[in-house]
Amino acid sequence: MTRHIWRWSAGLVLVALVLWATMPTKGQTVTYGTQNGEWQTYGGDLKQTRYSPLNQINADNFNKLEVAWRFKTDALGPRPEFNLQSTPLVVKGVMYSTGGTRRAVVALDAATGEMLWMYSLNEGPRGAAAPRQLSGRGLTYWTDGREDRIIYVTPGYQMIALNAKTGQPVQSFGKGGMIDLKLDDDQTMTWSRARWACMPRRSS
């Protein structure tokens, strides 16, 4: 019984320390949600708040909203997509998203909907036999303050880094802008009955 009490007490102390460490200091401004109308990660910000503190839309003008623009993804693949689930990102006035049955990446002018660039990789049988096809859930934005990249994973499980301004693969990333998440990890990929089978590598 005493041991359980000590564990319970230690847990409370740990929680208290975490709360104390995360409390803002006196005079510090507390920010919540995304900033400047941007949506840089899947959850909005690194805290995954999924909240944007914008106030242009309110109860007084909600019923007056109109569609600003539309972007159709029907041509981004061999057939129209029926289940678009991507979460777009908005960075520096540009909206980035995956779309289409081939999981293409598009960059759109967030204000007008104009397509700035599009990147698509035809993976052939590998993509056609992928267990998770279509546009997926989205992509990732990365920056070191000098260079901006858009990173995503194809249906065939290949990670690709694109230049956020041009949509071209970043040649310094992996091999020509791509990392094969099967072959470059710990598995060997073989073709078997219209599907890609992964076999663990044998140690020499």
Side-chain angles (χ1 to χ4, degrees), residues 145-190:
R146 301 185 302 272
E147 180 183 4
D148 297 344
R149 298 179 182 180
I150 297 297
I151 302 174
Y152 84 112
V153 177
T154 67
Y157 213 52
Q158 300 182 86
M159 181 181 291
I160 299 177
L162 304 173
N163 184 298
K165 294 182 179 179
T166 65
Q168 296 298 312
V170 179
Q171 297 301 312
S172 61
F173 181 86
K175 298 178 181 178
M178 182 185 307
I179 294 178
D180 191 321
L181 297 177
K182 294 294 186 181
L183 298 180
D184 294 336
D185 192 6
D186 61 350
Q187 303 177 74
T188 300
M189 187 171 293
T190 59

Side-chain angles (χ1 to χ4, degrees), residues 16-99:
L17 287 174
V18 171
L19 291 176
W20 174 81
T22 55
M23 289 178 61
T25 58
K26 185 176 181 180
Q28 181 180 357
T29 302
V30 179
T31 58
Y32 183 82
T34 61
Q35 302 298 315
N36 303 319
E38 296 199 344
W39 197 274
Q40 295 189 0
T41 73
Y42 181 82
D45 55 12
L46 294 180
K47 296 179 182 179
Q48 301 293 302
T49 60
R50 293 178 171 83
Y51 172 74
S52 181
L54 302 179
N55 56 10
Q56 289 179 309
I57 301 176
N58 52 50
D60 296 328
N61 61 20
F62 182 80
N63 62 343
K64 300 177 183 178
L65 295 179
E66 298 180 355
V67 176
W69 52 264
R70 291 183 174 90
F71 181 81
K72 295 183 67 65
T73 64
D74 292 359
L76 300 180
R79 63 187 185 280
E81 183 173 26
F82 62 87
N83 190 24
L84 180 62
Q85 296 182 334
S86 175
T87 297
L89 306 182
V90 178
V91 182
K92 300 177 182 178
V94 179
M95 177 178 290
Y96 302 94
S97 180
T98 54

